[in-house]
Structure formats: structure tokens, C-alpha cells
């Protein structure tokens, strides 16, 4: 086994970090950019170890779930440099710990590059030979109190976890937790120890791209804290097709027993195991685990000690009985001790066993159960209160809460219910708490919040909860004009535009069933609210949109530089070309066929999410209704007041029954959406789409070319519905959306160049328009624009469907003498009808007696 050339003479190291090359060409890390083999990783670690120099130094690593950060971390462990891991998403914590510990080297990203800032060549500190890693117990606050971990701690803990999880070299674990968090780091360590692969990503489990990467990388496991399982419930994890999933782990806080049992049963049905685990940073991550076969029958238990570890119960006067006491852990993974200043870095072992602060009991079957927490007890009005017990009591009654206490009162922060029909009643919550604790009502304050604040690890953010449950001082008037919009406002915006009452900070546009009809309106509103939108905003949770980049210096309204999404621009331009060409203001045809490609493109973006198969089909059904209902309503009205239409027009059947009329585009779009929804309703095809997101639409495009070329001469023998002859354009747009590499885009563009020419016999200009529009869609995601242009384009694109439907009844009355006026009038009437239809569609739920979806966002206090 070749050791890194940067190894410090006589220095202690972590064996699994030093022995990466022994696993050869097996994949070590898999990212969205591709795999990195163990051999390649070892070379990069070796190079980084050499850069860290010949003298042992304290390395502060600004951690992130990236290959660069992982390489520096492993290089330090392999060469013998102590590492201080800090959260990369909390600049304040980084600055605080740099100031507190004065590291010799700071490794951090800078402008897309990874840099090592060498502050000195020889350490300014006395570093104990056993010191390998420094971690914060809080995860993100920047507190100077750190856990000192040794090389033996890291190796022993990784070996223990690998043993009881039976990690194999074929396993592939996704990094669902941050690297600076001991649980997330233990996933990386234990898998690298066994030569398994790590799917390295910073994406949330709510992101469609996460599950695409997980499936394509053949992911076999992922880890979650309790909040992760809240998110899994929201995205329909129970019905996901994950053919390679072997086991799921849970730690980082107590998961309610009924949910443990439910997920255990789900895993048993789907063929994977659930490992519920218990640990602390002071034990390098893990102290106990519940064997999977007990998860359904003993879901309340923390389990048994990990291999190499042991428990004892320290008697406590307030907890009489031999089988109950403070849980004390011993094992090779117990920390060296704490550090509160640089002077402590030279200390050796000051702790032999870990007093966890948790109250536990040992059951007759040998399992340990946690029943309370010593360190969080509060003495209020002379009464000793355990906030964790209060949380558990409320949880049994279906209320998610976090409690904190001081000498005067108990503060209870409650997460608002997902159903506004049955909102959380703070008065009832206070009644339950006072009955449980024996406190007077004046000593209990309840605050109902949309979401409980959480750290990056998913654990409750108790300092933030304490701040939120205090009375709020009034903000200065000028501050109100400059502050960025709070997350609750964005939640309201999503709820209003998408007509949903289940919006949370972790919701995303696509996760809520957003489609191309609502996309434009949402993007314009968000851009007004935030001033900037990332390209993938529709897949991001709302919490990631809360703090946009600083706005540029103010410019005159209407001249501010922006960018405009290509699909939106194409929709706006296409509808103007369609209307103008019908009125003969100009003669530039092909817009409708470009729109078919855009429709396929948007279908892939908004409907082919990580949601389960049934939810996908429901979302497509909602889009079909949003197209069909306003169209049929307008045509029905015109049927009553004019002689221009027949019942077949109203029912959108002319494309099927013939002859095709001006509404062919609406009918083709509806038939196509119904057809693809029917296809994806088939479990085998749904799985195929998830596994082969580019190949499946490419195959459908090839199949659609049969209708485009009609090699069997069917059209000459009888009526062939138009959808058969133009479906390939929709499939082409779908394929373009799934093209993620240059080669795939070249393939799609080649298909455009090969199939569009000749489709419009004798109309080369029309073919040029279609080729140009589709090529732009394939290669250019956004185009330079201005605020005023964006607003006009957004209104036109968002109203394009309605303009198409209504313009047939507007322009004939004006086109003979006023072509320009007819064009403008057609656009204005369509925009007005779009506003009316949207308002009616959103007003519809109130007819069923539902409360306003904004009810759940009201912040309620019970004083």
C-alpha cells in the first residue's frame, strides 16, 4: 500500500485515508460531472498532502459537499495535519472560528477555484500528536467550543459503522447531509473505508436532480435526520422507484416511533432496510443502532451499542430504579475531550467515557430507550420542566413543536398544520402544556410558525426558536423598505399563483405541480420580489430563494439589464407571429410548430419531476384542465352568440373527426398531453423514463417520425389526426430538455436539421423559422434583455394560449382596413381573457368552502 508522499515523518494518520489507492479503479466519488476512481482520488489527495507542506499545521477547511473539499480533508487526515471543519454555508461561523483558533492554513473556495491560504509555514500552535479532527457540536453557530477527535476515533468509528451496516464495496451512498456535520462525515468515512462509492452532492432530497443523480449512479443508501423524513413524505418517496436502494439510515434526533414503524414497513415491502441510530459528535458519530428486524416491533428503542462500544446507566436521584439513569458510553470512538481555545489543542485525552446527558432505561430484551434529557431541564416558578418531554407529549397529539425555557416561562414554538381547514390552535396547545407541566397559563407562551427554524443538519435551531418566540420590537419604517421579502411572503406568492394550501419553505415550483402556464407569472413575480432568479429556480426550495444576490445599482425603470428565458421569449414571439400572420400584417409562419417544441420542452421540465407516478399523472391532468376548460368555455360562448362554430369545435374534436380548423394547435397539445400521461401511467414506462430520461423521449421522437413521413400512405387512404403527424415536434422539445451534454444537444439539433426541411412543402421560410426557434431552444437557456422587455414578453407568453383561442373572433372584424389595430386588439383581448380565466380558476376552490390558503401563514400568539 503506497502512502501519500506528503506524509509527515512520525506523524499519526488515519489508515483509511492513507490507503485509498488500494481500491484501484473502483469508483470512489460520483458527482453530476462523472465518477472519480480511488486511484484518481489517491493521486489528488497525494498532491494536496504535498501542498500542505512538511510541517504539521492546523488546517481550517470550509467544508462543502464537493470533490475539492473532500480531497483537502482526506489529504490532511492522510498526512497527519489536524483539520477544523467549518460550515461553508455560514460565513459568520467561518469568520468566528478563524478569529478564535487562528489556523495555519485556510482551505476555501474562491471564485470557483479551491485555494489554500497559507498563513504561516510552521504552526503557531502546540498540536497534540493524537489530534486529527475538530468539529462543532452545534453544526453551524461558530461556537468556539469544539470536539477534539483522534485518528483512532475516526478509524474505529468508520469500522464500527461499516460492520453493523454491512457496507460493501458495491454500495453507493448519497451525501444527503453536510460534510461538516458528524453524521454526514461518518457516511463518507465508512464508505471510503470499505471501497464503496460516495455520490457527492449538495442537492436537497426535494430536488428532482438529486433523485436523477441517485438513480443514474445506482444509489444504494442515503442518510436522513428526522426533518429529512418530513421532506420525503412531501415528495412522495413511498412510491418512488429506486431499484438499487439497499438500506436507509436515520439519526440526528428522535424520529417518532410511528414513523419509524411506517418507514420500516415501507422498506420491508420495497426491499430495503431501515437502520435507526443514536449518536453524538463526542462519540465521532455513532453509539447505538436498532437492528432493522426490530424497527417495526420496537420503534421506540435506541437499540444496542455499536460494535466495540458499551453502555452503563449512572443512577440519578430524580430517576429512581436500577434500569434507568444517565446513559454513559465507552468505546474507542469517544473523543479526546473539548477545546475552547487554541491552548486546548495541545491537550491529550481528558475524557475516558462519554456522559451523554440523555436519560435512558434498559429494557428486559437488552435494548436501550431514551426517556429524557438532563441538560435541557428548566426550572420555572420552582417547577423542574423537561422540554423534551413536552415536545414528545405534543408529538403524540400530532403537533410538531420545539420548547425552550428560562426562569420565567416556557416558550413553545409550533409548526403550522399543512391543512388550513384544521389549523393549529395555540390556546389548545397551551392548555395541553399547562396540564402536562402543572404550570400556570401565564408561564407558557405559544407561537405558531409556518416552519420551525432548522440548522443545515435538519436539527431544530433552538437559538433561532428562542429569538422567534420573544416579543417582536417594531422595525423602523426605513428598514421595512429595504429588507428582502420574508420567506412567508414567498410562500403566500406560491400558494396564490399555484392555488395550493400546502406550501412550505421546502416546496419548489415543480414540486407543487407548477406548469408552463403558471411558470411565466411566477417568474415575473419572483423577479420583482427578489431582483434576481437563478436558471434553475423552479427546482429550488423556497428557502434557497430567500436571500438573493445583492441587486445592482438602480437604473431607470424599464432599462435595467436582465435576461429572459429562451422558452418564454419563444412563446411571446411565436404568438405575435401567429396572430400577425393570420391577419396578414406580415407573413412569417411556423410559430405554432415552434410552440409545440416548446410545449414538449416545458413538459419535461415541469411534469417529469421526482414525484411518484400517480402525482405526475395528476399534475398533467391539471395542466390539461387548465388548457381545455378556458378554451371550451370561450368556444361555447361563441357558439351561443355567433354562427362561426359547431359543437365539435366546442368539444375540441375537429382534429379527430375532421376537417382540421384553426384550433388544431389546442387540440394537438391536449391530445399529446393525454397520450403521454397515459404512457407514463404505465409503471414500466414510468420507470423507463426515470432510468433513461434522454433515451426514452428520443425513442418517442423516432416513433413520431413515422407519422411525420407517413411511409405507409395512411393519409391517402383516410383521415389521419393531425396529432399523429406533428407529435415528433413535441417529443423533440422533450428530448431537448433532457439533453445535458454537448453530444446530446448535437444529436437533437441534427434531428431538427434532418426532419424539419421538407415538412412544409414549398415554404422554406416557414421551415427556417421552425429550425431557428428549435435550435435556439436547444442551445441557449437565456438571452439578454431589459426589465420592460421581460414584462411585455412575460405577459404575452403567459397569455399565449388564450390569445390563440380568442383572436379568431377579434381580427376578422378589423383586419380589412386596420391590420395593425386588429393585431393589437387580438393581443389585448387574449390577455384580458387570460386574466379572467386565471382569476376564475383560482377562485374555484372557495366554492367548495375551503378557507383561504393564506390562513396557515398567519403568525398567531397565545399570550
Amino acid at each position: 500500500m503506497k502512502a501519500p508522499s506528503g506524509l509527515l515523518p512520525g506523524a499519526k494518520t488515519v489508515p483509511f485515508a492513507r490507503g485509498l489507492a488500494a481500491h484501484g479503479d473502483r469508483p470512489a466519488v460520483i458527482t453530476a460531472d462523472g465518477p472519480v476512481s480511488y486511484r484518481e482520488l489517491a493521486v489528488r489527495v497525494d498532491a494536496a498532502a504535498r501542498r500542505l507542506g512538511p510541517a504539521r499545521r492546523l488546517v481550517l477547511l470550509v467544508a462543502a459537499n464537493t470533490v475539492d473539499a473532500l480531497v483537502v480533508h482526506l489529504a490532511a487526515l492522510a498526512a497527519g495535519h489536524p483539520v477544523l471543519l467549518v460550515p461553508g454555508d455560514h460565513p459568520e461561523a467561518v469568520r468566528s472560528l478563524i478569529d478564535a483558533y487562528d489556523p495555519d492554513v485556510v482551505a476555501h473556495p474562491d471564485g470557483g477555484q479551491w485555494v489554500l491560504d497559507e498563513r504561516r509555514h510552521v504552526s503557531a500552535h502546540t498540536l497534540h500528536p493524537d489530534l486529527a479532527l475538530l468539529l462543532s457540536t452545534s453544526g453551524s453557530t461558530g461556537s468556539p467550543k469544539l470536539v477534539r477527535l483522534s485518528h483512532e476515533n475516526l478509524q474505529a468509528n468508520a469500522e464500527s459503522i461499516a460492520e453493523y451496516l454491512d457496507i460493501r464495496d458495491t454500495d453507493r451512498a448519497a451525501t444527503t447531509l453536510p460534510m461538516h456535520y458528524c453524521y454526514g462525515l461518518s457516511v463518507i468515512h465508512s464508505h471510503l473505508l470499505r471501497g464503496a462509492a460516495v455520490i457527492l452532492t449538495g442537492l436537497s432530497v426535494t430536488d428532482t436532480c438529486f433523485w436523477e443523480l441517485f438513480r443514474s449512479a445506482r444509489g444504494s443508501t442515503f442518510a436522513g435526520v428526522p426533518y429529512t423524513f418530513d421532506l420525503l413524505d412531501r415528495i412522495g418517496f413511498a412510491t418512488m422507484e429506486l431499484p438499487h436502494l439497499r438500506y436507509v439510515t436515520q439519526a440526528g434526533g428522535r424520529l417518532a416511533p410511528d414513523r419509524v414503524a411506517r418507514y420500516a414497513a415501507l422498506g420491508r415491502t420495497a426491499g430495503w432496510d431501515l437502520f435507526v441510530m443514536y449518536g453524538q459528535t463526542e462519540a465521532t458519530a455513532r453509539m447505538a443502532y436498532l437492528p432493522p428486524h426490530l424497527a417495526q416491533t420496537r420503534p421506540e428503542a435506541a437499540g444496542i451499542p455499536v460494535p466495540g462500544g458499551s453502555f452503563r446507566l449512572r443512577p440519578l436521584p430524580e430517576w429512581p430504579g436500577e434500569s434507568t439513569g444517565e446513559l454513559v458510553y465507552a468505546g474507542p470512538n469517544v473523543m479526546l475531550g473539548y477545546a475552547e481555545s487554541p491552548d486546548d489543542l495541545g491537550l491529550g485525552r481528558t475524557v475516558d467515557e462519554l456522559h451523554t446527558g440523555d436519560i435512558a432505561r434498559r429494557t428486559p430484551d437488552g435494548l436501550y430507550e431514551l426517556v429524557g434529557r438532563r441538560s435541557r431541564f428548566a426550572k420555572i416558578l420552582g417547577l423542574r420542566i423537561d422540554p423534551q418531554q413536552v415536545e414528545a407529549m405534543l408529538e403524540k397529539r400530532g403537533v410538531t413543536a420545539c420548547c425552550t425555557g428560562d426562569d420565567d416561562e416556557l416558550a413553545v414554538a409550533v409548526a403550522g398544520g399543512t391543512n388550513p381547514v384544521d389549523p393549529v390552535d395555540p390556546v389548545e396547545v397551551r392548555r395541553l402544556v399547562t396540564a402536562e407541566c402543572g404550570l400556570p397559563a401565564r408561564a407558557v407562551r405559544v407561537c405558531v410558525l409556518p416552519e420551525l427554524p432548522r440548522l443545515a443538519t435538519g436539527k431544530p435551531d433552538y437559538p433561532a426558536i428562542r429569538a422567534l418566540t420573544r416579543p417582536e420590537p417594531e422595525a423602523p419604517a426605513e428598514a421595512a423598505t429595504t429588507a428582502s421579502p420574508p420567506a412567508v411572503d414567498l410562500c403566500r406568492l406560491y400558494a396564490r399563483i399555484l392555488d395550493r394550501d400546502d406550501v412550505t419553505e421546502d416546496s419548489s415550483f415543480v414540486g407543487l405541480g407548477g406548469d408552463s402556464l403558471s411558470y411565466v407569472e411566477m417568474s415575473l413575480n419572483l423577479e420583482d420580489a427578489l431582483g434576481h432568479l437563478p436558471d434553475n429556480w423552479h427546482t429550488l426550495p423556497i428557502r434557497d430563494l430567500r436571500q438573493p444576490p445583492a441587486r445592482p445599482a438602480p437604473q431607470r425603470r424599464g432599462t435595467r439589464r436582465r435576461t429572459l428565458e429562451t422558452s418564454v421569449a419563444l412563446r411571446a414571439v411565436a404568438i405575435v407571429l401567429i396572430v400577425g400572420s393570420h391577419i396578414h400584417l406580415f407573413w412569417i409562419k411556423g410559430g405554432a410548430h415552434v410552440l409545440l417544441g416548446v410545449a414538449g420542452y416545458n413538459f419535461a421540465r415541469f411534469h417529469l419531476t421526482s414525484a411518484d407516478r400517480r402525482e405526475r399523472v395528476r399534475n398533467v391532468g391539471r395542466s390539461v384542465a387548465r388548457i381545455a376548460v378556458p378554451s371550451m368555455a370561450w368556444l361555447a360562448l361563441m357558439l351561443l352568440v355567433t354562427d362561426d362554430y359547431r359543437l365539435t369545435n366546442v368539444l375540441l374534436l375537429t382534429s379527430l373527426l375532421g376537417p382540421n380548423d384553426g384550433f388544431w394547435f389546442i387540440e394537438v397539445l391536449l391530445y399529446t398531453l393525454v397520450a403521454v400521461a397515459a404512457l407514463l401511467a404505465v409503471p414500466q414506462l414510468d420507470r423507463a423514463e426515470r432510468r433513461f430520461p434522454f433515451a426514452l423521449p428520443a425513442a418517442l421522437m423516432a416513433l413520431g417520425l413515422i407519422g411525420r413521413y407517413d411511409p405507409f400512405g395512411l393519409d391517402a387512404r383516410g383521415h389521419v389526426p393531425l396529432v399523429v403527424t406533428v407529435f415528433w415536434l413535441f417529443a423533440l422539445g422533450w428530448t431537448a430538455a433532457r439533453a445535458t451534454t454537448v453530444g446530446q444537444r448535437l444529436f437533437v439539433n441534427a434531428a431538427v436539421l434532418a426532419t424539419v426541411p421538407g415538412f412544409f412543402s414549398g415554404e422554406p421560410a416557414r421551415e427556417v423559422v421552425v429550425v431557428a426557434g428549435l435550435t435556439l431552444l436547444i442551445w441557449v437557456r437565456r438571452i439578454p434583455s431589459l426589465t420592460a422587455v421581460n414584462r411585455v414578453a412575460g405577459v404575452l407568453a403567459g397569455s399565449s394560449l388564450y390569445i390563440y383561442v380568442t383572436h379568431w373572433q377579434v381580427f376578422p372584424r378589423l383586419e380589412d382596413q386596420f391590420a395593425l389595430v386588429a393585431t393589437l386588439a387580438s393581443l389585448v383581448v387574449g390577455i384580458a381573457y387570460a386574466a379572467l380565466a386565471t382569476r376564475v380558476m383560482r377562485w374555484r376552490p372557495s366554492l367548495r368552502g375551503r378557507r383561504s390558503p393564506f390562513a396557515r401563514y398567519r403568525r398567531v400568539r397565545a399570550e
Side-chain angles (χ1 to χ4, degrees):
M1 180 185 302
K2 181 183 177 183
S5 59
L7 180 67
L8 306 179
K12 293 184 178 180
T13 63
V14 179
F16 73 76
R18 198 175 64 245
L20 298 170
H23 300 296
D25 292 323
R26 297 192 60 79
V29 178
I30 300 172
T31 70
D33 297 324
V36 177
S37 72
Y38 272 94
R39 195 183 310 279
E40 294 167 331
L41 182 62
V43 170
R44 294 182 62 173
V45 167
D46 190 15
R50 289 197 300 272
R51 285 197 60 196
L52 290 175
R56 193 162 181 254
R57 295 184 289 179
L58 177 63
V59 179
L60 184 143
L61 173 59
V62 180
N65 288 0
T66 65
V67 176
D68 289 327
L70 179 61
V71 165
V72 175
H73 172 69
L74 293 173
L77 297 184
H81 302 277
V83 185
L84 169 52
L85 279 182
V86 297
D89 56 349
H90 286 268
E92 298 82 4
V94 174
R95 286 193 294 268
S96 175
L97 288 168
I98 288 177
D99 292 342
Y101 280 90
D102 187 22
D104 305 309
V105 181
V106 176
H108 65 95
D110 184 13
Q113 301 295 319
W114 199 262
V115 298
L116 296 179
D117 287 341
E118 299 187 68
R119 309 174 83 195
R120 57 186 69 89
H121 295 294
V122 178
S123 182
H125 311 294
T126 299
L127 304 173
H128 193 276
D130 291 337
L131 182 62
L133 183 64
L134 295 159
L135 292 177
S136 170
T137 59
S138 64
S140 63
T141 64
S143 167
K145 184 174 182 179
L146 304 175
V147 171
R148 294 182 292 118
L149 299 173
S150 70
H151 310 89
E152 181 191 10
N153 289 155
L154 299 180
Q155 184 73 18
N157 191 66
E159 290 176 349
S160 174
I161 293 171
E163 179 181 340
Y164 72 74
L165 289 181
D166 185 27
I167 296 177
R168 307 164 187 173
D169 59 10
T170 54
D171 279 324
R172 297 184 173 188
T175 55
T176 47
L177 301 167
M179 179 179 166
H180 69 265
Y181 174 37
C182 68
Y183 183 15
L185 191 62
S186 72
V187 173
I188 295 173
H189 286 178
S190 57
H191 284 79
L192 294 180
L193 173 86
R194 286 289 178 90
V198 175
I199 304 171
L200 198 59
T201 176
L203 295 172
S204 165
V205 296
T206 62
D207 195 323
T208 305
C209 298
F210 171 86
W211 295 108
E212 290 175 355
L213 176 61
F214 190 81
R215 292 187 187 92
S216 64
R218 303 170 72 88
S220 62
T221 180
F222 65 88
V225 297
Y227 187 54
T228 309
F229 289 83
D230 292 342
L231 301 180
L232 293 177
D233 285 343
R234 294 175 189 173
I235 64 173
F237 173 77
T239 55
M240 282 188 184
E241 296 287 344
L242 301 171
H244 304 289
L245 183 60
R246 197 166 71 83
Y247 63 93
V248 174
T249 64
Q250 184 273 318
R254 180 178 180 272
L255 188 64
D258 61 325
R259 300 187 72 196
V260 171
R262 177 161 61 85
Y263 269 89
L266 173 63
R268 185 179 296 273
T269 301
W272 50 265
D273 290 326
L274 175 67
F275 284 85
V276 176
M277 307 185 298
Y278 162 69
Q280 292 180 359
T281 308
E282 290 86 343
T284 324
R286 304 276 72 79
M287 292 183 289
Y289 73 100
L290 183 64
H293 69 276
L294 297 176
Q296 278 189 269
T297 57
R298 295 299 313 279
E300 71 282 358
I304 59 177
V306 300
S310 63
F311 286 128
R312 70 178 179 88
L313 297 174
R314 185 173 76 88
L316 296 172
E318 62 270 31
W319 292 90
E322 295 183 0
S323 62
T324 303
E326 182 185 11
L327 192 63
V328 180
Y329 175 79
N333 53 323
V334 172
M335 66 176 177
L336 297 173
Y338 292 109
E340 298 192 53
S341 73
D343 293 339
D344 296 331
L345 302 182
L347 297 177
R349 179 169 292 281
T350 58
V351 174
D352 291 316
E353 57 181 9
L354 178 60
H355 290 250
T356 66
D358 288 317
I359 310 302
R361 64 168 170 259
R362 190 175 189 274
T363 60
D365 55 0
L367 300 179
Y368 287 86
E369 295 179 0
L370 304 182
V371 296
R373 175 80 182 159
R374 292 196 74 199
S375 60
R376 284 186 56 204
F377 278 98
K379 199 167 187 178
I380 303 172
L381 303 180
L383 294 175
R384 197 163 182 272
I385 306 298
D386 181 359
Q388 188 173 10
Q389 289 287 85
V390 176
E391 293 172 1
M393 178 273 295
L394 292 173
E395 185 177 53
K396 289 179 181 178
R397 289 162 173 79
V399 177
T400 301
C402 288
C403 304
T404 63
D406 54 27
D407 292 339
D408 299 317
E409 64 182 1
L410 181 70
V412 183
V414 182
T418 58
N419 185 359
V421 175
D422 186 22
V424 173
D425 182 355
V427 176
E428 175 63 15
V429 170
R430 186 171 60 180
R431 186 191 65 77
L432 291 172
V433 173
T434 55
E436 174 79 10
C437 303
L439 290 170
R442 65 180 176 83
V444 177
R445 186 171 73 253
V446 178
C447 179
V448 180
L449 304 173
E451 286 285 330
L452 296 178
R454 297 184 183 275
L455 301 171
T457 61
K459 291 184 176 182
D461 187 346
Y462 281 101
I465 290 168
R466 279 193 290 272
L468 286 170
T469 52
R470 295 190 187 108
E472 296 179 4
E474 290 202 14
E478 62 271 16
T481 63
T482 58
S484 60
V488 66
D489 290 339
L490 296 186
C491 289
R492 285 190 178 128
L493 180 64
Y494 274 61
R496 176 176 63 81
I497 292 179
L498 297 179
D499 187 27
R500 297 287 294 255
D501 55 17
D502 56 349
V503 181
T504 71
E505 285 191 71
D506 294 293
S507 302
S508 67
F509 178 79
V510 294
L512 292 169
D515 57 18
S516 60
L517 295 175
S518 51
Y519 177 83
V520 178
E521 182 182 4
M522 181 66 80
S523 63
L524 288 176
N525 278 273
L526 286 177
E527 208 164 23
D528 280 346
L530 304 177
H532 170 82
L533 279 180
D535 288 345
N536 63 334
W537 71 265
H538 58 290
T539 66
L540 296 176
I542 293 173
R543 68 170 66 250
D544 290 352
L545 297 174
R546 283 193 304 177
Q547 297 178 347
R551 295 191 181 199
Q555 302 179 39
R556 273 190 313 157
R557 183 170 179 83
T559 63
R560 187 179 302 157
R561 291 188 178 277
R562 299 282 197 194
T563 59
L564 179 63
E565 190 169 319
T566 302
S567 65
V568 175
L570 289 175
R571 288 170 65 184
V573 172
I575 194 61
V576 173
L577 294 183
I578 290 170
V579 174
S581 296
H582 288 168
I583 297 173
H584 304 300
L585 178 64
F586 43 72
W587 192 255
I588 307 175
K589 304 188 75 175
H593 294 81
V594 172
L595 285 181
L596 279 179
V598 173
Y601 182 86
N602 286 333
F603 170 79
R605 295 176 68 207
F606 305 133
H607 292 300
L608 300 183
T609 67
S610 60
D612 65 272
R613 175 170 50 86
R614 292 182 180 85
E615 182 62 23
R616 277 182 167 188
V617 174
R618 280 194 293 268
N619 286 339
V620 178
R622 282 191 281 266
S623 290
V624 168
R626 292 189 64 190
I627 296 170
V629 172
S631 300
M632 296 172 72
W634 174 265
L635 292 172
L637 177 62
M638 293 303 104
L639 178 66
L640 296 176
V641 299
T642 73
D643 296 326
D644 297 338
Y645 301 121
R646 302 183 303 276
L647 186 60
T648 53
N649 297 109
V650 176
L651 299 177
L652 299 174
L653 294 175
T654 58
S655 184
L656 287 180
L657 303 178
N660 294 322
D661 66 3
F663 296 101
W664 68 267
F665 174 79
I666 301 292
E667 296 185 6
V668 164
L669 183 56
L670 286 173
Y671 300 163
T672 299
L673 289 175
V674 170
V676 294
L679 287 174
L680 295 178
V682 179
Q684 293 81 358
L685 290 176
D686 180 74
R687 287 194 293 269
E689 189 283 324
R690 296 174 194 269
R691 188 172 181 183
F692 307 107
F694 179 79
L696 180 70
L700 291 175
M701 178 179 64
L703 189 64
L705 290 175
I706 296 176
R708 180 255 187 268
Y709 288 105
D710 192 17
F712 307 110
L714 297 178
D715 195 40
R717 303 177 191 176
H719 174 69
V720 174
L722 189 60
V723 65
V724 175
T725 66
V726 296
F727 172 77
W728 61 279
L729 286 167
F730 180 93
L732 195 150
W734 176 356
T735 311
R738 292 308 207 189
T740 57
T741 66
V742 172
Q744 289 175 341
R745 291 193 179 101
L746 286 171
F747 170 82
V748 181
N749 211 161
V752 171
L753 295 173
T755 57
V756 173
F759 185 64
F760 305 101
S761 179
E763 297 184 74
R766 191 174 189 179
E767 292 171 349
V768 169
V769 169
V770 177
V771 168
L774 295 178
T775 300
L776 199 63
L777 188 68
I778 294 166
W779 291 102
V780 182
R781 293 294 186 242
R782 304 186 76 87
I783 58 177
S785 183
L786 298 172
T787 298
V789 174
N790 279 14
R791 188 159 298 282
V792 172
V795 172
L796 289 171
S799 307
S800 56
L801 169 75
Y802 307 96
I803 294 172
Y804 187 92
V805 172
T806 60
H807 84 286
W808 297 103
Q809 283 298 319
V810 178
F811 77 82
R813 289 155 177 77
L814 299 169
E815 67 171 328
D816 291 341
Q817 298 174 340
F818 306 103
L820 179 59
V821 173
T823 301
L824 294 175
S826 296
L827 298 178
V828 169
V829 170
I831 292 169
Y833 185 59
L836 175 64
T838 302
R839 182 178 295 272
V840 170
M841 294 291 279
R842 288 181 187 155
W843 174 70
R844 170 182 43 81
S846 64
L847 299 177
R848 298 194 300 269
R850 278 188 359 183
R851 297 186 186 183
S852 166
F854 309 138
R856 80 180 298 262
Y857 303 113
R858 288 196 299 266
R859 185 171 173 171
V860 186
R861 288 186 180 274
E863 300 295 347

